[in-house]
Amino acid sequence: MDDFITSVRQALGDIFKAAADLLTVGHEIAATPSTDPLPETVRQLLRTVSNSMRSVLILVEHGCGTDALKIARTMFETAVNIHYLHSHPEAIQDYVDFQWIKKKKHHDYLLKFAPAQAQRMDDASLSELTAEYARVSPRFTGPKSKVRSTWHKSDHRQVARSVGGEIIYGGVYPFISSLLHMDILGLIMSGGPSGEVEVVPSISNLELGIQIAVLSYAMALTASNEILKANGEDKIQSAFENFRNSCAVSQTLDIWNELAKPKESESD
């Protein structure tokens, strides 16, 4: 295993270095708490992406590229949420308050399938849940009195489009969703060069996993840096330039160029 890790580090060393540099910037950006809901929420979101970036590096160097891809998808989803909140700061309250929709749904599920567990909730917590759900649910209820399943009104593709990330959405979601749900495409993607699903450590999906992760992390850092006014743009750009120079897949560079374009308006 030590020989495998050494080989991966040698082959992807420049990308690992770029990721490490971005992690340093991420630590600096997310270091200081805020009393303002938007920057504090984004700061915490960025920390989750930083943790995921570290997890991807560990998985890749240990030959677990397919599982790294699964984490990279969540990194992209979080990056999109950060960019969306940057473009729509008024949506922060919906993002925060949606917790009560999720908690109420979970409690209702327990009442139906595990009533003994549901009854463990103390009266004060149940009263808070009931009151908060009543307060926020009208904002998430559609014309047919159905409470929506997301904190924003748009679907995921529309949100990705609104922040300039639709090209990644189209490239990431179809096949990584297949990995998560393990349909036939996911099974095919899990295979190595011979088509056989290899026992790890394997070289399958190592480069793609770390590339999507770094791209998503840089995307999250860019918006977080602006929201938190951290003045880290030069360091982000420098680290990402190192990634660009090490990147073997031209499509990844095309994706970043697409993100750099002016954002479409919501009406487009």
Side-chain angles (χ1 to χ4, degrees):
M1 191 66 199
D2 289 343
D3 290 341
F4 186 92
I5 292 173
T6 299
S7 297
V8 171
R9 284 282 186 173
Q10 289 175 344
L12 302 176
D14 290 343
I15 302 181
F16 271 82
K17 177 61 167 59
D21 290 343
L22 288 172
L23 281 166
T24 298
V25 183
H27 176 75
E28 294 171 354
I29 291 175
T32 306
S34 172
T35 56
D36 189 326
L38 176 59
E40 180 57 18
T41 300
V42 168
R43 187 180 78 89
Q44 298 289 353
L45 285 171
L46 179 59
R47 283 196 162 186
T48 71
V49 188
S50 296
N51 288 340
S52 293
M53 186 71 253
R54 294 184 187 279
S55 297
V56 166
L57 295 179
I58 292 171
L59 287 170
V60 168
E61 70 179 0
H62 285 78
C64 304
T66 300
D67 289 299
L69 271 174
K70 297 174 185 177
I71 294 179
R73 172 185 143 144
T74 68
M75 294 174 67
F76 173 68
E77 290 175 332
T78 308
V80 167
N81 282 339
I82 293 172
H83 273 267
Y84 187 83
L85 289 171
H86 187 24
S87 300
H88 304 274
E90 74 284 353
I92 184 59
Q93 201 57 53
D94 283 348
Y95 180 86
V96 172
D97 283 343
F98 195 69
Q99 65 175 295
W100 301 110
I101 304 298
K102 302 287 284 189
K103 289 177 178 178
K104 179 65 162 56
K105 183 177 181 179
H106 177 65
H107 186 256
D108 289 346
Y109 177 89
L110 292 180
L111 285 173
K112 183 175 181 179
F113 295 103
Q117 185 175 345
Q119 290 169 8
R120 294 175 188 170
M121 179 179 283
D122 59 79
D123 291 342
S125 297
L126 181 57
S127 295
E128 181 186 29
L129 174 59
T130 302
E132 291 295 338
Y133 181 81
R135 177 180 67 86
V136 306
S137 58
R139 274 189 276 137
F140 301 102
T141 302
K144 295 183 179 180
S145 299
K146 182 178 180 180
V147 178
R148 66 176 187 259
S149 59
T150 59
W151 62 274
H152 48 72
K153 294 180 180 180
S154 303
D155 63 28
H156 291 299
R157 179 178 290 277
Q158 289 173 324
V159 173
R161 180 190 299 130
S162 73
V163 301
E166 186 177 18
I167 188 171
I168 304 181
Y169 181 96
V172 170
Y173 266 62
F175 62 84
I176 303 185
S177 292
S178 290
L179 283 175
L180 292 176
H181 301 296
M182 200 45 67
D183 60 24
I184 185 59
L185 179 58
L187 183 59
I188 292 170
M189 286 193 60
S190 298
S194 67
E196 181 80 4
V197 176
E198 300 173 337
V199 176
V200 297
S202 165
I203 63 169
S204 297
N205 295 316
L206 292 185
E207 189 169 13
L208 182 60
I210 195 172
Q211 284 176 339
I212 293 177
V214 170
L215 182 64
S216 299
Y217 190 40
M219 182 180 174
L221 284 171
T222 300
S224 299
N225 176 68
E226 294 180 5
I227 293 170
L228 298 172
K229 298 179 172 59
N231 299 317
E233 54 270 14
D234 290 342
K235 293 180 180 179
I236 296 171
Q237 188 60 39
S238 175
F240 192 77
E241 280 300 317
N242 292 334
F243 168 71
R244 284 172 59 98
N245 292 334
S246 67
C247 194
V249 181
S250 60
Q251 182 182 3
T252 307
L253 301 183
D254 293 339
I255 288 171
W256 180 258
N257 292 332
E258 186 73 18
L259 287 175
K261 294 179 181 178
K263 297 181 177 62
E264 300 180 37
S265 67
E266 284 293 298
S267 61
D268 289 344

